[in-house]
Amino acid sequence: VDEEDDPVNWVEQIYSALAPSRSIKQYLYTEETEERYEEAFIKVVGDLKAPIKHAHIPHFIENLLPNYTHRVSQRNVKEILHAFGRGENQKGKGVIVWSGIRKGLEDYKKRKADDETDVFIGNALNSASKVYKMWVRFISFVATYHFVMVPARICYAPWSSYLDAGALATDLPADFFTL
């Protein structure tokens, strides 16, 4: 990629790095895009056996995503290399091979299918409820009490025995509430 293709001034560099609208990640796995991979690959390289070299990746992205309104940047090249890049060419820059694209799409479909079949039951309690919040605070207080008092009792032995009335008066209610 030529220097001219990179953002020109520092404002554009920051914007291209941070603007989510300039990312192509959300477009890489859509059904519409999936249908264009083979055609875009052949337009850039000529056949499915040759790899797309690093310098031709922006052209590949332009063919793959014709409705992408922004200029293809180095960020976009890195995103597609991260998704489908396999291997290195002689200059140490990534290349894209057709088998890498097929494998990347298959991996995405497998991950998506696994996510859809996972059974996840969320929290049945309303975390915004006052009762729930009070309960969490109370349990946190009891846990903090035990965190402080157990080492204090072991190290400093404030009571003459572990069955002392003062020790039981403070520990039994705390123990009861942790049940």
Side-chain angles (χ1 to χ4, degrees):
V1 177
D2 297 340
E3 291 296 322
E4 298 169 6
D5 292 340
D6 288 330
V8 181
N9 60 23
W10 64 274
V11 174
E12 191 174 347
Q13 287 178 345
I14 291 172
Y15 188 75
S16 71
L18 301 177
S21 64
R22 293 204 176 180
S23 173
I24 61 170
K25 288 180 187 176
Q26 68 267 21
Y27 305 118
L28 293 179
Y29 300 107
T30 64
E31 288 181 26
E32 184 180 317
T33 306
E34 231 177 278
E35 296 170 358
R36 279 198 229 106
Y37 274 106
E38 188 172 350
E39 179 185 336
F41 197 95
I42 291 172
K43 274 185 183 177
V44 172
V45 183
D47 64 358
L48 297 177
K49 294 177 183 171
I52 298 177
K53 298 207 177 354
H54 193 271
H56 300 293
I57 292 175
H59 185 60
F60 174 67
I61 295 172
E62 289 169 0
N63 285 318
L64 182 65
L65 305 171
N67 297 332
Y68 183 67
T69 57
H70 303 288
R71 183 178 38 147
V72 176
S73 67
Q74 198 58 28
R75 174 187 182 183
N76 304 134
V77 172
K78 287 179 185 174
E79 288 173 340
I80 202 159
L81 277 172
H82 185 266
F84 304 115
R86 305 281 189 253
E88 302 277 325
N89 69 7
Q90 65 275 12
K91 295 179 183 174
K93 295 183 178 180
V95 296
I96 299 176
V97 293
W98 178 246
S99 61
I101 292 175
R102 275 198 348 249
K103 184 171 178 5
L105 292 172
E106 288 171 5
D107 290 348
Y108 176 77
K109 287 178 185 177
K110 286 178 187 174
R111 279 194 315 270
K112 189 175 176 185
D114 287 346
D115 291 344
E116 290 174 0
T117 58
D118 284 348
V119 177
F120 178 74
I121 299 172
N123 191 352
L125 302 174
N126 179 5
S127 61
S129 142
K130 288 182 183 180
V131 174
Y132 179 78
K133 287 180 181 179
M134 287 178 15
W135 178 254
V136 168
R137 281 189 207 121
F138 180 71
I139 292 300
S140 299
F141 172 75
V142 171
T144 305
Y145 170 81
H146 280 292
F147 183 76
V148 171
M149 288 307 293
V150 168
R153 187 169 308 150
I154 292 170
C155 294
Y156 303 112
W159 294 283
S160 57
S161 81
Y162 289 111
L163 298 175
D164 188 78
L168 294 177
T170 57
D171 279 355
L172 285 179
D175 289 339
F176 175 75
F177 285 123
T178 56
L179 297 176

